[in-house]
Amino acid sequence: MVYTDRQARLTILSLALGAFAIGVTEFAAMGLLPYYAADLGVGEPTAGHAVSAYAIGVVVGAPVLAVLGSFLPRKLLLVLLVTFFMLANLLSSMATSIETLVISRVLSGLPHGAFLGIGMLFAAEMMPAGRKAAGVAQVLMGLTVANIIGVPAAGAIGQAFGWRWCFVLVAVIAAGSALMIARVAPQPQDGPAANPLRELSALANRAVWLTLLVGAVGFGGVFAVYSFFSAALINAAGAPEWVIPFALSGFGIGATLGNYWAGRLANWSHFGGTLVLLLGMVAVTLVYALVMGDWIAMSLTVMALGLTAGLVIPLQMRLMDVAGDGQTLAAALNHAAFNAANALGPWLAGMALAAGYGWSATGYVGAALSAGGIVALALAWLDGRPRRTLRPAQA
């Protein structure tokens, strides 16, 4: 099926708008934690369960909704997913206890992986050969722009009018995405009848698991640094608090630029592009550890780290090559893997801090995880090499 440029642009914009809403609710909730902790009468460690709850929702929801949703046309499934996301965020805005907030955050995370995964497949299918990675990058641009504009704006709104309005804002944006997808996205072309068993075939594919392992381990390097960046700026570098939102926006600017280049790298080579980004992560996280204590250098280094955040793009293109009939499930699992990295990186970095190794340890842990991603990539490359068949010896 051939799509017009206008149709492709509007459809990708509608998907990027949904990605923008997802990016805002995922990251802004971290900055608003002190406010809903105080409002709900709990300590900050307990309030942090709401942040973890979202990641749990993503990891659980990505494979489950991708398989169950395989019965539905992709356009309808995308509308339903972003609508569910909208309702869950409205529920978050009405939470009256930490328990109801945690439940609503789990619900908010459920459609995250499936929406982004299916949205990237949808966008790639609309682009001509040689430009498919660009379609994936344009959808993910919504996530990176959320870190530049959406997260600071939501934080300001939450501080001025109350944390609940952040989730209301996200719900409004999600509603706009749902309406736009319903209006401008094309109907999917006819294909074979949906079969969840075909989607589940991805789970038996070793190449899929090795590709997911690259993201789950390697991207943990970014989260090991990013999760403790604000605390390190204040405690290790003595930076004024006004620096933090600007520094975090710098990461978002780097990630936006990085997504563009990651799309070009993915069109060049899936393995090669992944390797370049992982090597960049190793180098930047090591530099971050070395400049610890200088808040200007730390901020510039974190912006540079954002340039590597497009790792999801070449990995998604690799999954599209190897997933066979399990495209939807594999795409959703890609985002589940990155949320696993979101848990692994901060956990290991936190252990290093608790052991007394100092704030520089977060950079060294990040470098080790990114290097682990390179090891996983090497295994995936070796596994993907064509097998040579031995000819029988001549008599």
Side-chain angles (χ1 to χ4, degrees), residues 13-25 28 78-79 82-83 85-87 89-90 115 142-143 145-146 149-151 153-154 157 165-181:
L13 178 61
S14 68
L15 297 170
L17 189 62
F20 179 87
I22 286 173
V24 172
T25 199
L78 286 167
V79 172
V82 76
T83 300
F85 174 81
M86 174 197 70
L87 295 174
N89 275 276
L90 284 177
F115 177 82
L143 285 178
V145 172
I149 301 173
V151 172
I157 291 172
W165 285 100
C166 171
F167 296 111
V168 173
L169 173 65
V170 168
V172 170
I173 297 171
S177 173
L179 291 172
M180 194 172 178
I181 293 170

Side-chain angles (χ1 to χ4, degrees), residues 245-275:
F246 290 100
L248 294 178
S249 292
F251 176 85
I253 292 170
T256 302
L257 296 173
N259 263 14
Y260 172 75
W261 288 110
R264 296 177 71 91
L265 286 170
N267 281 328
W268 163 62
S269 169
H270 302 164
F271 279 117
T274 302
L275 179 60

Side-chain angles (χ1 to χ4, degrees), residues 97-120:
S97 67
I98 188 61
E99 291 79 14
T100 54
L101 181 60
V102 165
I103 292 171
S104 67
R105 293 301 288 163
V106 171
L107 294 175
S108 298
L110 290 176
H112 174 129
F115 177 82
L116 291 178
I118 296 166
M120 290 192 305

Side-chain angles (χ1 to χ4, degrees), residues 1-3 5 8 123-135 263 266-268 270 317 320-321:
M1 184 173 179
V2 178
Y3 304 100
D5 287 344
E125 290 174 358
M126 297 191 71
M127 300 296 281
R131 291 272 300 155
K132 294 187 179 299
N267 281 328
W268 163 62
H270 302 164
M317 301 308 295
M320 289 171 64
D321 285 347

Side-chain angles (χ1 to χ4, degrees), residues 365-395:
V365 169
L369 285 169
S370 299
I374 293 175
V375 173
L377 180 66
L379 294 175
W381 179 76
L382 290 171
D383 182 70
R385 294 175 66 188
R387 270 55 171 181
R388 296 177 61 183
T389 57
L390 297 178
R391 294 183 180 181
Q394 296 290 331

Side-chain angles (χ1 to χ4, degrees), residues 96-230:
T96 56
S97 67
I98 188 61
E99 291 79 14
T100 54
L101 181 60
V102 165
I103 292 171
S104 67
R105 293 301 288 163
V106 171
L107 294 175
S108 298
L110 290 176
H112 174 129
F115 177 82
L116 291 178
I118 296 166
M120 290 192 305
L121 290 176
F122 204 100
E125 290 174 358
M126 297 191 71
M127 300 296 281
R131 291 272 300 155
K132 294 187 179 299
V136 172
Q138 288 167 21
V139 172
L140 289 180
M141 197 72 73
L143 285 178
T144 58
V145 172
N147 277 289
I148 302 173
I149 301 173
V151 172
I157 291 172
Q159 291 175 25
F161 303 103
W163 62 271
R164 299 176 187 278
W165 285 100
C166 171
F167 296 111
V168 173
L169 173 65
V170 168
V172 170
I173 297 171
S177 173
L179 291 172
M180 194 172 178
I181 293 170
R183 182 167 180 80
V184 305
Q187 293 294 339
Q189 54 187 326
D190 294 334
N195 184 348
L197 293 179
R198 283 208 311 271
E199 291 293 340
L200 289 171
S201 66
L203 299 179
N205 189 326
R206 186 170 58 193
V208 168
W209 285 111
L210 287 172
T211 303
L212 294 173
L213 182 64
V214 176
V217 176
F219 207 76
V222 172
F223 285 115
V225 169
Y226 185 86
S227 297
F228 294 99
F229 175 56
S230 297

Side-chain angles (χ1 to χ4, degrees), residues 260-323:
Y260 172 75
W261 288 110
R264 296 177 71 91
L265 286 170
N267 281 328
W268 163 62
S269 169
H270 302 164
F271 279 117
T274 302
L275 179 60
V276 169
L277 293 170
L278 286 171
L279 287 172
M281 284 183 195
V282 173
V284 174
T285 49
L286 286 175
V287 171
Y288 176 80
L290 295 174
V291 301
M292 184 62 62
D294 182 338
W295 65 265
I296 296 177
M298 290 169 64
S299 300
L300 292 175
T301 305
V302 165
M303 178 183 288
L305 186 61
L307 294 172
T308 68
L311 182 67
V312 64
I313 297 171
L315 291 180
Q316 178 60 56
M317 301 308 295
R318 169 66 179 165
L319 286 170
M320 289 171 64
D321 285 347
V322 301

